[in-house]
Amino acid sequence: MKKIKEEKRENVIIKTSIIGIFINLLLVTFKAIIGLISNSIAILLDAVNNLSDALSSIVTIISTKIADLEPDKEHPLGHGRIEYLSAMIVAGIIFYAGITSLIESIKKIFVPVEVEYSNITFIILIVSIIIKLLLGKFVKNIGEKFNSPSLVASGSDATFDAILSSSVLVSAILYIFTDINIEAYVGVLISIFIIKSGIEIFMDAVNEILGKRVDKESINEIKRTICKIENVYGAYDLMLHNYGPDKYVGSVHIEVPDSMTAEEIDPLERKISNIVLEKHNIYLTGITVYSMNTKNMDIVKLRYKIYKIVMSNDGVLEFHGFYLEEKNKSIRFDIIIDYSIKNRKEIYNKVLNDVKKEYPDYSINIKVDIDI
């Protein structure tokens, strides 16, 4: 079932990219001809921009084919991250087109040329704006639906192109009615937008490769799935590693009663892995266990008292993994401290001292977890 879904995703991305290539090459041809005839630097730069879009779509097709290759000895988790690299290449192409356009536009400011517009020029510009708006919306929607960073980037770029083509149209109308030539200045504006778009696409891809935080709602949804399983009383420290769009592996801590044996925990862990894989398409490579005091109600009440002490401190986001060992009189638990707090060490020390003050006969072991 999963393989069918991947094949469908690959086919849709490739077909969408081919549509983008075909439309952009048509626009390049018409705009280049009109730009040369009318001696318009803005229209020529618009054609160059469309050519960069076509090249970007070709890169998307190649990267999608590579990303769909089966895992091998060198890449046991597949080739999905190539899609983020392809988005960086697309960004590089867009950035280069922007820099080149900017240089040419600045030259035209100092050495202006006469332009000649015709009715066909306006028709082509208007049609190209409409086509680019429709193409941008179509490609971006497909990219979001099938989680393709390259298609989302291409769709956003197409929408930008429509806006920039509109500025070319406005400059042409202004020239016809006022004889004021702002072609080169419009070219500079187009170039700046192209460069900005390239930088944003590049940074989005870099963030994915570096390990961008998974949105909180997705994390909470997975945790809720795990907590609905019998004998699981909490799910914490869910860590997901991205190996391409919709390709995650991860690990999680679960809280289970201290009465459970290894014989009972083993099938529970396998059940959790299967359910999370089936429902969320995430492969849990590791499930570790927090033991929860259930045999002594006095300890259960004590846990709640310590919970209130810990959570009364500003900056503490979470308290979990509590366990009290009566034999050696020790208490252990984990906390999460907000990253935005500068004095995290001070908060840790205060929590530790507060608990020690209340329970001096116990050794206190507090671990600060990552706020994932």
Side-chain angles (χ1 to χ4, degrees), residues 25 37 162 269 301:
L25 289 178
I37 292 173
E269 290 182 343
K301 292 176 183 177

Side-chain angles (χ1 to χ4, degrees), residues 223-237:
K223 287 181 178 179
R224 283 194 291 268
T225 297
I226 295 172
C227 289
K228 286 178 183 177
I229 299 170
E230 187 179 1
N231 286 323
V232 177
Y233 290 86
Y236 310 98
D237 310 326

Side-chain angles (χ1 to χ4, degrees), residues 175-206:
Y175 181 75
I176 291 293
F177 289 100
T178 66
D179 208 32
I180 298 174
N181 188 354
I182 60 168
E183 275 261 317
Y185 297 96
V186 171
V188 170
L189 180 66
I190 292 172
S191 304
I192 291 171
F193 271 102
I194 295 171
I195 292 168
K196 180 175 177 290
S197 176
I199 292 172
E200 288 174 350
I201 293 168
F202 181 84
M203 291 310 301
D204 284 344
V206 168

Side-chain angles (χ1 to χ4, degrees), residues 126-271:
I126 292 169
V127 170
S128 71
I129 291 167
I130 295 170
I131 290 173
K132 272 295 189 174
L133 283 172
L134 294 174
L135 180 66
K137 186 176 181 181
F138 169 71
V139 172
K140 191 171 183 179
N141 286 343
I142 295 294
E144 289 174 347
K145 183 177 180 180
F146 289 89
N147 199 9
S148 169
S150 297
L151 282 186
V152 172
S154 296
S156 299
D157 190 45
T159 304
F160 269 123
D161 290 349
I163 296 170
L164 298 177
S165 294
S166 299
S167 67
V168 177
L169 179 62
V170 170
S171 70
I173 294 171
L174 183 67
Y175 181 75
I176 291 293
F177 289 100
T178 66
D179 208 32
I180 298 174
N181 188 354
I182 60 168
E183 275 261 317
Y185 297 96
V186 171
V188 170
L189 180 66
I190 292 172
S191 304
I192 291 171
F193 271 102
I194 295 171
I195 292 168
K196 180 175 177 290
S197 176
I199 292 172
E200 288 174 350
I201 293 168
F202 181 84
M203 291 310 301
D204 284 344
V206 168
N207 287 334
E208 292 288 358
I209 292 171
L210 288 177
K212 188 173 70 173
R213 179 189 293 271
V214 179
D215 71 278
K216 201 71 176 177
E217 181 51 39
S218 296
I219 292 288
N220 290 337
E221 188 180 343
I222 297 164
K223 287 181 178 179
R224 283 194 291 268
T225 297
I226 295 172
C227 289
K228 286 178 183 177
I229 299 170
E230 187 179 1
N231 286 323
V232 177
Y233 290 86
Y236 310 98
D237 310 326
L238 177 62
M239 186 174 289
L240 300 178
H241 305 281
N242 185 304
Y243 286 89
D246 292 330
K247 294 179 181 177
Y248 285 93
V249 297
S251 59
V252 68
H253 275 92
I254 59 170
E255 197 166 38
V256 299
D258 55 0
S259 58
M260 290 188 73
T261 64
E263 186 179 9
E264 294 169 320
I265 292 172
D266 178 60
L268 174 62
E269 290 182 343
R270 293 173 188 270
K271 183 178 181 180

Side-chain angles (χ1 to χ4, degrees), residues 211-216 219-220 223 236-240 315-320 334-341 344 367-372:
K212 188 173 70 173
R213 179 189 293 271
V214 179
D215 71 278
K216 201 71 176 177
I219 292 288
N220 290 337
K223 287 181 178 179
Y236 310 98
D237 310 326
L238 177 62
M239 186 174 289
L240 300 178
V316 178
L317 301 177
E318 193 173 284
F319 166 94
H320 60 262
D334 297 355
I335 60 173
I336 292 177
I337 301 175
D338 192 342
Y339 277 127
S340 65
I341 304 295
R344 286 160 54 83
K367 177 189 171 188
V368 179
D369 272 341
I370 302 171
D371 180 17
I372 301 170

Side-chain angles (χ1 to χ4, degrees), residues 339-355:
Y339 277 127
S340 65
I341 304 295
K342 292 182 180 179
N343 56 334
R344 286 160 54 83
K345 184 67 176 176
E346 289 179 22
I347 292 175
Y348 169 82
N349 288 332
K350 185 175 183 306
V351 170
L352 181 61
N353 291 331
D354 287 351
V355 177

